[in-house]
Amino acid sequence: MAGIEDLVKELSPEHQREALDFVAYLLQKQKRKQAKPLRQTWAGALRRYRGTYTALELQKESLSWRTE
């Protein structure tokens, strides 16, 4: 079986650039899959507001906190 380099050498310069772009895309795609897992360190951070707000009120209040 021929190696990738040998096969690419047989392509026209235009197709070689296209192959290079595709390889770059595959590398990016691979890196995205290897991303760190989502951390949820914020979980429970609003516990102190449990008796003060309902879930809907807390949602509305949190929106205003984010825009400040």
Side-chain angles (χ1 to χ4, degrees):
M1 185 165 131
I4 292 175
E5 292 177 5
D6 295 332
L7 293 173
V8 170
K9 287 178 184 176
E10 295 181 30
L11 295 172
S12 68
E14 180 182 338
H15 285 120
Q16 287 180 5
R17 284 189 296 275
E18 191 174 334
L20 182 60
D21 288 343
F22 183 67
V23 170
Y25 162 76
L26 289 175
L27 288 171
Q28 277 186 324
K29 185 177 173 183
Q30 180 177 317
K31 287 179 185 177
R32 281 193 304 258
K33 286 185 178 181
Q34 294 174 352
K36 295 179 182 176
L38 179 64
R39 295 180 312 149
Q40 295 184 350
T41 56
W42 54 266
L46 299 175
R47 188 173 297 135
R48 65 176 180 253
Y49 298 106
R50 186 178 292 163
T52 309
Y53 299 101
T54 65
L56 181 59
E57 291 169 335
L58 187 55
Q59 182 181 4
K60 289 178 182 177
E61 189 69 23
S62 69
L63 287 173
S64 70
W65 294 336
R66 283 186 246 161
T67 57
E68 290 178 352

